[in-house]
Amino acid sequence: MLRHKYSYGEHPSQWGELFIPEPTNGNHRGASTVAGGIAVVIHGGYWRSQYGAELGEPLARDLAAHGITAWNLEYRRAGNGGGWPHTFEDILAGIDHLSEIAGQHDLQLGKVVALGHSAGGHLAVWAAGRQKLSSIGTPDADRQLQRGSEDNAVHLTGVVSQSGLLNLAAAEKLNLSNGAVCNLMGGDSHRFPKRHKYADPMSSLPINVPVYAVHATDDEDVPASQSEAYVAAATAAGSAAQLLRVPGDHFDLIDPKAVAYKKCRELVQRLLS
């Protein structure tokens, strides 16, 4: 496969790496000729700086091996310049940067699907609702987050969430990973209620982007209630969301050899077909 690394900002964590299938796959110039689009891989790690894009690289490599161009996205995390609002700014800017490099690789951006694991699932589904952000009743939080014009944005057309943290309010109440939500948001929801609402994928429902919420049956890191609550709320609101349970634990979802991951890849292919 071919690999190209690009920066979308000046911070050392503002970069992504494009994995393009080999010419032997009939797809030297980009994924659009095979899969109809691009997969954005967003890694997890409870938004903390000790976890990085190396978690997403095996997935990006596997997707490229199956004829899909993948954009393995790094971003600022809490502890290295990220957290509110910069982590969120980076996710949108990193996805939008695909439009800057599309011409170099004949990338077609009509179908752009995100594959997000754990905290990356949260960021992926949140980004899928970006068009609703200015209308969910949190104008102060919206002004704090700098982003490009929606007219020039690259919009996600589907999401595969892998045991994603899709109900931020509940994740805070459960104190998942020793206060990871408060760490991300710079404080708890009592101090910053609008900020927390703005960052919660539940707040943007309904959205017109299909979401597959895949959850590992033996996941001990993110409770299944995170995916269950989101899908229940999404379907009640009229969004296209589906809950799928797969065998394995939290990390089987990012193991290219595991059944849990292979189901996620199949769903990415389905969304891009």
Side-chain angles (χ1 to χ4, degrees):
M1 67 191 66
L2 306 175
R3 299 174 61 168
H4 304 272
K5 187 174 180 179
Y6 295 97
S7 296
Y8 61 87
E10 296 182 357
H11 191 276
S13 290
Q14 292 176 309
W15 58 268
E17 189 169 17
L18 198 66
F19 289 72
I20 303 177
E22 289 285 0
T24 53
N25 286 349
N27 192 29
H28 175 65
R29 296 290 288 176
S32 58
T33 56
V34 171
I38 301 167
V40 180
V41 178
I42 307 177
H43 72 82
Y46 273 106
W47 310 282
R48 292 189 171 106
S49 59
Q50 58 262 48
Y51 304 100
E54 69 277 358
L55 293 174
E57 181 174 334
L59 282 62
R61 292 174 62 91
D62 177 81
L63 291 169
H66 287 81
I68 300 170
T69 289
W71 176 234
N72 187 32
L73 183 59
E74 187 57 288
Y75 52 93
R76 289 173 288 179
R77 287 88 67 208
N80 77 328
W84 174 264
H86 302 308
T87 293
F88 299 89
E89 292 174 343
D90 284 3
I91 293 301
L92 298 184
I95 294 171
D96 288 349
H97 195 70
L98 287 168
S99 65
E100 299 294 322
I101 62 175
Q104 299 175 51
H105 303 287
D106 288 348
L107 304 178
Q108 295 187 18
L109 305 179
K111 291 184 178 180
V112 180
V113 170
L115 174 64
H117 177 242
S118 193
H122 158 258
L123 294 169
V125 176
W126 175 83
R130 64 186 296 171
Q131 290 178 288
K132 302 288 288 293
L133 292 174
S134 60
S135 61
I136 60 175
T138 57
D140 290 342
D142 192 46
R143 283 192 290 268
Q144 291 176 38
L145 190 145
Q146 297 181 12
R147 62 185 188 276
S149 168
E150 286 300 300
D151 294 336
N152 300 318
V154 175
H155 294 286
L156 296 178
T157 57
V159 176
V160 177
S161 168
Q162 303 169 291
S163 284
L165 290 144
L166 306 185
N167 185 342
L168 207 65
E172 182 195 10
K173 290 179 182 178
L174 292 170
N175 195 36
L176 295 182
S177 190
N178 298 315
V181 173
C182 292
N183 187 48
L184 168 71
M185 301 306 299
D188 63 29
S189 58
H190 294 291
R191 183 179 180 187
F192 301 113
K194 298 296 186 181
R195 181 185 298 183
H196 277 253
K197 180 180 179 181
Y198 188 86
D200 196 333
M202 300 279 279
S203 301
S204 296
L205 291 170
I207 59 173
N208 61 354
V209 179
V211 174
Y212 287 113
V214 182
H215 218 98
T217 55
D218 298 320
D219 199 315
E220 297 182 353
D221 293 85
V222 177
S225 57
Q226 284 285 303
S227 293
E228 293 166 352
Y230 179 83
V231 171
T235 53
S239 291
Q242 184 176 344
L243 175 67
L244 298 96
R245 303 179 192 275
V246 293
D249 62 22
H250 192 65
F251 296 98
D252 285 324
L253 289 161
I254 55 173
D255 178 358
K257 297 179 181 178
V259 171
Y261 167 75
K262 291 178 181 177
K263 181 62 178 179
C264 295
R265 184 217 299 147
E266 175 189 319
L267 294 170
V268 170
Q269 291 171 321
R270 185 182 303 178
L271 288 168
L272 289 175
S273 64

